[in-house]
Amino acid sequence: MKARLKELEKRIGYQFRDFSLLRQAMMHSSYTNEKHLPRFQCNERLEFLGDAVLELVSSEFLFVDNPKVSEGELTKTRASMVCEPSLAFCARDIELETYLMLGRGEEATGGRGRDSITSDAMEALIGAIYLDGGFTNAKEFIHRFILSDLEHKKLFFDSKTILQEIVQAEIGENISYHLVGEEGPDHNKSFYVEVCIGEKCYGAGKGRTKKSAEQEAAYQAILKLKNGRGERCI
């Protein structure tokens, strides 16, 4: 496992002085339970710390970047930036799920792809970097892997709303989402959804929930509309 975590260090561009902190950040409670380790050795304490560091860094970023925006809007924007799906999305960018240490039961039920687990691990990683290298290194990590390319991330997370606005303003057709398939056992199911504008399909998505599949389908539809295309996707 050490070799795998060394690979993660290279991926994030940060080398730990205390390597045990990185190991702890990747250690889910299901793993410590299975190995009969003390509960405090899992990544939950680091997650608690990383959450606070992330809130401070993201608050400062928004405050400086939006000098005329009200407190209410800043709070709303921050909440969307650091919510569970957003952090899980950022975690997937660095393939964080592949480095997690899970118990066999959690592994078997699809825990490695669960947003709640990967988002918690992302916060735990922030906490580990903060303890190991201080605030500056943690801030650099957050800016590089969470606060970068926000326009693209907003487009993804607000895709259903943005698609509705585009279609109402430019096309005037009805939008409909259709579940076209499911696969996997109940505890680890994937859903496939298509989105249609009028009678034409503009996007398809896959997700662990119908809602996430719809978001992906809407996102793909926006990309096609932006690129001036609207071919059938089936």
Side-chain angles (χ1 to χ4, degrees):
M1 189 64 193
K2 184 174 182 179
R4 291 281 293 141
L5 293 180
K6 284 291 183 183
E7 181 183 299
L8 176 57
E9 283 187 325
K10 292 179 182 178
R11 189 179 287 273
I12 65 175
Y14 180 80
Q15 186 171 0
F16 280 81
R17 290 175 294 181
D18 182 355
F19 195 74
S20 67
L21 286 169
L22 177 57
R23 179 176 172 82
Q24 184 180 0
M26 295 300 102
M27 196 180 297
H28 187 254
S29 58
S30 63
Y31 181 87
T32 56
N33 289 340
E34 186 177 284
K35 299 295 183 181
H36 305 293
L37 298 171
R39 176 81 179 198
F40 65 81
Q41 290 189 15
C42 76
N43 65 5
E44 290 175 353
R45 283 168 52 83
L46 286 175
E47 174 205 339
F48 164 79
L49 180 60
D51 175 66
V53 176
L54 175 59
E55 182 167 322
L56 175 57
V57 172
S58 58
S59 297
E60 179 195 44
F61 173 83
L62 290 172
F63 183 85
V64 172
D65 205 49
N66 302 275
K68 297 182 180 180
V69 175
S70 69
E71 177 270 342
E73 282 301 310
L74 290 175
T75 300
K76 181 180 177 182
T77 302
R78 183 183 63 196
S80 67
M81 284 165 49
V82 300
C83 66
E84 181 181 292
S86 178
L87 291 179
F89 182 84
C90 297
R92 286 194 293 273
D93 273 353
I94 58 175
E95 299 181 4
L96 194 63
E97 71 280 0
T98 65
Y99 303 99
L100 294 173
M101 287 177 274
L102 303 176
R104 287 190 296 269
E106 193 66 60
E107 184 81 68
T109 56
R112 199 169 293 278
R114 195 165 291 131
D115 282 2
S116 59
I117 291 177
T118 53
S119 64
D120 287 351
M122 194 70 165
E123 289 182 328
L125 181 55
I126 292 168
I129 293 172
Y130 172 76
L131 286 179
D132 189 75
F135 181 74
T136 299
N137 282 299
K139 181 177 179 178
E140 182 179 327
F141 174 86
I142 292 168
H143 275 265
R144 181 179 176 187
F145 294 107
I146 297 176
L147 301 181
S148 61
D149 199 13
L150 286 177
E151 184 175 345
H152 171 81
K153 290 170 183 173
K154 177 177 171 57
L155 180 64
F156 182 82
F157 290 111
D158 293 343
S159 56
K160 289 183 70 174
T161 301
I162 293 171
L163 179 62
Q164 184 72 37
E165 291 171 353
I166 291 173
V167 171
Q168 285 180 344
E170 300 178 9
I171 301 176
E173 295 272 9
N174 289 325
I175 299 173
S176 57
Y177 293 88
H178 305 278
L179 180 65
V180 295
E182 302 177 18
E183 68 177 18
D186 288 343
H187 61 262
N188 192 20
K189 192 177 289 293
S190 293
F191 297 90
Y192 297 85
V193 168
E194 290 177 349
V195 59
C196 294
I197 302 173
E199 298 297 320
K200 185 180 289 188
C201 173
Y202 275 73
K206 175 186 175 182
R208 290 188 172 274
T209 65
K210 293 176 185 177
K211 182 179 179 180
S212 64
E214 289 175 355
Q215 287 286 97
E216 173 66 28
Y219 175 68
Q220 296 300 330
I222 292 169
L223 294 183
K224 285 189 177 183
L225 289 170
K226 283 180 173 289
N227 290 330
R229 300 195 301 272
E231 307 97 327
R232 290 189 64 82
C233 53
I234 56 173

